[in-house]
């Protein structure tokens, strides 16, 4: 009996101290793990993968939407699932911000995944981890690379409407603006070029590329003096899709060669001056030093090299300002903070 009491005297203070350490909020050093849900939800990856597969089979475009959802989440306060929150009690949703409104999609797919995970492992898997896994599975579903996903993120208690309007890159960004934007997230020019390759799948609305085809100030030297009519022909095709006014929601593929396949042809398009968005073409046209242009050529020449770099960069992006330990929460419904 005395021995048991002694153990309690030792264990209880240690437990209380451990709980105190977790509650202090200094969880930046709490790592993510590959097997984070091995005991608590062993089928998490199979459940997410299956639902992504179903969603992409129904609508191939959904693969790009899920990848973009992860990107837009991570660039605002970090990879914390804040983009999934609906407006509530004075908090304005990031969904309503300029870069996201009537544009970002895939929320219903995340809802479905969350439903099945709550059935299998209640109150266990975070919405932030669901977004990260779904992005990986979306890339794989379109023929892209596979990789292990570090897990253990927790969900934000708030959204940032202003952050979404500030930190998500614009389709008309200059190269200088893109570099600065990525640098704010702890990402370098290598990450910028590799992650831009996500535009090898998906589509964009007319409003996103109208400035690129009608604004004479956005024409590169090669486009202005197009002796072989290479650039003019492509621009005429885009103008037939997107007039100077009207048809704002008309869609065009980001990669006109293989729009539904994750490959390196996006970079070949850039080399030929046939990137859809202004923010794509500036990787070539505004790189005075040539370092970025060289990376574009490397990826255009080797799909394997692009895949390896993309994986490294998206894993790095997936670690931006993550909430771990006792930070945030595990939402029961990805659209709302737990009451």
């Amino acid at each position: 009996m005395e021995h048991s009491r002694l153990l309690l005297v030792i264990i209880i203070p240690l437990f209380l101290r451990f709980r105190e350490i977790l509650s202090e909020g200094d969880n930046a050093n709490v790592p993510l793990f590959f097997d984070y849900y091995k005991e608590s939800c062993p089928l998490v990856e199979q459940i997410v993968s299956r639902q992504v597969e179903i969603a992409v089979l129904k609508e191939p475009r959904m693969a790009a939407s899920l990848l973009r959802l992860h990107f837009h989440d991570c660039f605002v306060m970090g990879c914390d699932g804040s983009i999934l929150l609906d407006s509530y009690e004075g908090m304005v949703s990031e969904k309503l911000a300029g870069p996201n409104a009537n544009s970002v999609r895939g929320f219903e797919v995340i809802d479905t995944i969350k439903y099945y995970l709550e059935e299998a492992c209640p109150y266990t898997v975070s919405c932030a981890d669901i977004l990260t896994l779904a992005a990986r599975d979306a890339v794989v579903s379109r023929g892209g690379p596979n990789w292990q996903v570090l897990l253990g993120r927790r969900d934000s208690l708030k959204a940032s409407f202003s952050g979404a309007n500030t930190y998500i890159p614009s389709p008309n960004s200059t190269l200088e603006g893109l570099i600065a934007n990525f640098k704010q997230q702890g990402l370098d020019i290598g990450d910028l070029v590799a992650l831009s390759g996500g535009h090898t799948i998906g589509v964009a609305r007319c409003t996103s590329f109208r400035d690129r085809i009608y604004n004479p100030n956005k024409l590169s030297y090669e486009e202005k003096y197009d002796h072989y009519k290479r650039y003019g022909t492509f621009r005429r095709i885009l103008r037939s899709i997107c007039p100077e006014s009207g048809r704002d929601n008309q869609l065009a593929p980001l990669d006109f060669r293989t729009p539904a396949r994750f490959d390196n042809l996006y970079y070949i398009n850039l080399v030929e001056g046939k990137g859809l968005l202004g923010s794509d073409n500036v990787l070539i046209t505004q790189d005075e030093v040539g370092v970025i242009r060289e990376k574009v050529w490397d990826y255009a020449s080797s799909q394997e090299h692009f895949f390896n770099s993309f994986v490294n960069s998206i894993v790095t992006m997936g670690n931006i300002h993550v909430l771990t330990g006792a930070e945030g929460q595990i939402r029961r419904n990805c659209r709302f903070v737990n009451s």
Side-chain angles (χ1 to χ4, degrees):
M1 183 66 74
E2 284 298 320
H3 181 67
S4 298
R5 284 202 190 99
L6 181 60
L7 281 175
L8 285 173
V9 168
I10 295 172
I11 291 172
I12 289 174
L14 284 174
F15 172 75
L16 292 174
R17 177 54 186 154
F18 177 71
R19 190 171 67 177
E20 178 186 341
I21 290 171
L22 284 180
S23 66
E24 285 174 354
D26 184 18
N27 295 299
N29 295 321
V30 177
L32 301 176
F33 297 97
F34 290 124
D35 297 323
Y36 186 83
Y37 298 109
K38 184 177 181 180
E39 302 296 333
S40 60
C41 194
L43 295 179
V44 57
E45 296 207 30
Q46 290 92 322
I47 291 171
V48 175
S49 176
R50 177 59 178 158
Q51 294 308 313
V52 169
E53 181 184 18
I54 291 171
V56 173
L57 281 172
K58 287 181 179 177
E59 184 188 6
R61 179 187 167 195
M62 187 54 67
S65 298
L66 292 171
L67 176 58
R68 186 168 180 243
L69 201 54
H70 179 45
F71 182 91
H72 281 218
D73 181 50
C74 290
F75 266 58
V76 182
M77 302 195 303
C79 307
D80 58 4
S82 62
I83 195 171
L84 301 174
L85 288 169
D86 286 345
S87 298
Y88 183 70
E89 290 187 347
M91 181 185 71
V92 182
S93 173
E94 292 172 19
K95 299 174 185 179
L96 302 178
N100 297 330
N102 302 313
S103 176
V104 172
R105 46 202 299 279
F107 299 107
E108 293 78 12
V109 177
I110 302 301
D111 290 340
T112 301
I113 294 170
K114 182 62 171 173
Y115 169 80
Y116 283 109
L117 286 173
E118 286 298 308
E119 288 283 304
C121 327
Y123 196 47
T124 301
V125 182
S126 69
C127 301
D129 275 346
I130 292 172
L131 279 175
T132 310
L133 286 167
R136 186 273 309 273
D137 294 334
V139 169
V140 172
S141 75
R142 296 289 88 194
N146 201 345
W147 66 92
Q148 280 189 290
V149 175
L150 289 163
L151 300 167
R153 297 165 190 80
R154 288 169 66 85
D155 298 324
S156 172
L157 300 174
K158 60 183 180 180
S160 177
F161 175 80
S162 62
N165 279 319
T166 302
Y167 299 116
I168 297 174
S170 159
N172 297 312
S173 294
T174 63
L175 181 58
E176 184 180 6
L178 287 172
I179 292 171
N181 193 286
F182 273 64
K183 186 176 180 180
Q184 284 180 310
Q185 308 301 334
L187 302 173
D188 59 23
I189 59 172
D191 299 314
L192 165 60
V193 183
L195 291 173
S196 293
H199 286 174
T200 186
I201 54 175
V203 296
R205 293 187 301 160
C206 173
T207 52
S208 296
F209 61 90
R210 177 177 282 135
D211 191 57
R212 172 251 193 276
I213 56 176
Y214 287 107
N215 187 343
N217 296 322
K218 295 296 178 72
L219 297 179
S220 66
Y221 174 84
E222 290 82 1
E223 288 175 306
K224 288 178 180 177
Y225 303 97
D226 186 14
H227 299 297
Y228 300 102
K229 309 300 180 187
R230 291 190 305 167
Y231 304 104
T233 301
F234 184 60
R235 196 159 59 249
R236 281 194 298 274
I237 292 171
L238 295 181
R239 285 178 172 178
S240 70
I241 298 170
C242 177
E244 237 177 316
S245 62
R247 297 171 67 183
D248 288 354
N249 293 320
Q250 190 71 23
L251 301 174
L254 289 161
D255 170 5
F256 73 96
R257 294 172 185 267
T258 54
R261 183 164 184 81
F262 197 99
D263 54 29
N264 69 327
L265 295 190
Y266 162 82
Y267 296 100
I268 295 176
N269 294 337
L270 294 191
V271 169
E272 295 179 352
K274 296 176 181 176
L276 179 66
L277 304 179
S279 58
D280 293 328
N281 288 294
V282 296
L283 298 179
I284 290 286
T285 62
Q286 294 183 9
D287 180 29
E288 296 179 0
V289 178
V291 175
I292 292 176
R293 190 182 301 113
E294 184 178 344
K295 288 183 178 294
V296 170
W297 274 98
D298 286 346
Y299 297 155
S301 303
S302 170
Q303 180 166 281
E304 182 181 2
H305 184 26
F306 161 51
F307 279 8
N308 290 336
S309 297
F310 180 83
V311 167
N312 289 334
S313 292
I314 200 167
V315 169
T316 300
M317 186 187 79
N319 288 317
I320 296 175
H321 302 309
V322 294
L323 303 177
T324 59
E327 296 176 308
Q329 63 178 204
I330 306 297
R331 287 187 219 133
R332 293 182 177 89
N333 182 331
C334 291
R335 293 175 181 263
F336 300 101
V337 173
N338 299 338
S339 55

